Amino acid sequence: GIQVEQSPPDLILQEGANSTLRCNFSDSVNNLQWFHQNPWGQLINLFYIPSGTKQNGRLSATTVATERYSLLYISSSQTTDSGVYFCAVQPKYGNKLVFGAGTILRVKS
Amino acid sequence: NAGVTQTPKFQVLKTGQSMTLQCAQDMNHEYMSWYRQDPGMGLRLIHYSVGAGITDQGEVPNGYNVSRSTTEDFPLRLLSAAPSQTSVYFCASSYSYEGGPKDTQYFGPGTRLTVL
C-alpha cells in the first residue's frame, strides 16, 4: 500500500518563528489533506490540496503531485499552533485515506 | 449543523464485554469512516462506508463490526473487547467520489476507550 512519511517528527519553536512541515508519499494520489490535532484531541481540517498551493491566514500549503510531496508552512507561529499535524492521502486507485504518523509541534512563548 | 457527533466520550470496559460506539452526521455525507489513534502511530482506518448498506474493511478491522442502515448513522461494534483495543476512536465523514472520500473530511470529537 501507499506509504506516507512526515518530517520532522518533532519540532519546537519560539513564538513568532516560521516552520515548514513535509509530507512524502510513495504513489500517485487524488486526495491530500492536512489536519491539525489540538492538545485536547480535536482534529481540524486545514487544507484539501491534492495539487497546487493554497493559503489561509498564516498557514499555506503546497503539493507537488509529480514529485510526490506536500509542504505545510506556518508563519509567525503562535502558542495556539501547538499540537500534531497530520498529512493524509488517498491513492489514485484506492478509496481509503491513509495517514502519516504526524509532526508534533510545540510553540513556546 | 451539529457536524459529526460521537457518543460516549469516555468508556471503560472489561475484557470480553461488547459495546457499540455511536457516530452520526447531519451533513448528508455519503462517506463515513472509523479510525483508531494509538500513541505514535497516527490514525488507522478500521472500517468505512460509501453509503447506506455498503461497508468495507480498512487496515485494522479485526474485532470490530459495522453496519450502515441510514445515511446519518455509522455505529462501530466491539464484539469481545480486548486490552489491545484500548485507544481513541474517531469517526469521520465527507462527500464521496468514485467510492472514496471527496474533498474535506470532518472528524467527530472522539471516544476514549479503555479495556481492562
Side-chain angles (χ1 to χ4, degrees):
Chain A
I2 194 168
Q3 303 299 312
V4 183
E5 294 182 357
Q6 292 187 241
S7 59
D10 271 283
L11 188 57
I12 301 174
L13 297 177
Q14 200 64 36
E15 200 168 26
N18 302 329
S19 63
T20 300
L21 281 57
R22 187 177 181 105
C23 172
N24 291 336
F25 43 95
S26 61
D27 207 347
S28 299
V29 300
N30 57 15
N31 186 335
L32 188 147
Q33 301 181 39
W34 283 97
F35 295 89
H36 176 223
Q37 186 171 38
N38 63 26
W40 296 271
Q42 188 178 9
L43 280 155
I44 303 295
N45 184 280
L46 298 175
F47 294 103
Y48 165 74
I49 187 165
S51 63
T53 297
K54 289 187 178 179
Q55 180 153 8
N56 184 4
R58 296 180 296 102
L59 272 61
S60 64
T62 295
T63 296
V64 184
T66 52
E67 297 188 22
R68 299 181 183 169
Y69 72 89
S70 183
L71 302 173
L72 178 68
Y73 305 96
I74 304 173
S75 64
S76 304
S77 58
Q78 301 175 358
T79 55
T80 52
D81 294 332
S82 296
V84 186
Y85 289 81
F86 289 104
C87 168
V89 305
Q90 177 192 353
K92 188 171 183 180
Y93 299 107
N95 52 9
K96 305 168 191 175
L97 211 56
V98 178
F99 280 74
T103 291
I104 301 172
L105 175 65
R106 300 180 183 88
V107 181
K108 296 187 171 184
S109 58
Chain B
N1 285 351
V4 181
T5 58
Q6 291 183 237
T7 55
K9 286 187 169 51
F10 301 94
Q11 184 70 48
V12 178
L13 292 177
K14 294 181 179 178
T15 297
Q17 288 184 315
S18 63
M19 79 159 295
T20 299
L21 307 185
Q22 301 291 344
C23 174
Q25 51 90 13
D26 61 358
M27 296 173 280
N28 205 30
H29 286 163
E30 304 97 351
Y31 192 94
M32 294 186 74
S33 51
W34 277 101
Y35 295 86
R36 60 177 287 172
Q37 184 177 25
D38 302 299
M41 298 189 72
L43 280 79
R44 293 183 292 169
L45 182 65
I46 304 171
H47 286 286
Y48 66 99
S49 167
V50 297
I54 306 170
T55 64
D56 205 347
Q57 296 181 349
E59 301 171 72
V60 287
N62 291 342
Y64 307 96
N65 207 354
V66 292
S67 59
R68 182 105 178 260
S69 55
T70 66
T71 299
E72 295 79 19
D73 300 297
F74 190 43
L76 178 72
R77 296 183 190 84
L78 278 69
L79 308 172
S80 177
S84 60
Q85 293 179 304
T86 294
S87 189
V88 181
Y89 291 85
F90 289 97
C91 178
S93 75
S94 70
Y95 293 111
S96 181
Y97 176 71
E98 294 187 344
K102 178 187 176 187
D103 297 329
T104 301
Q105 286 253 300
Y106 296 89
F107 279 83
T111 294
R112 188 173 294 274
L113 176 69
T114 301
V115 183
L116 303 176

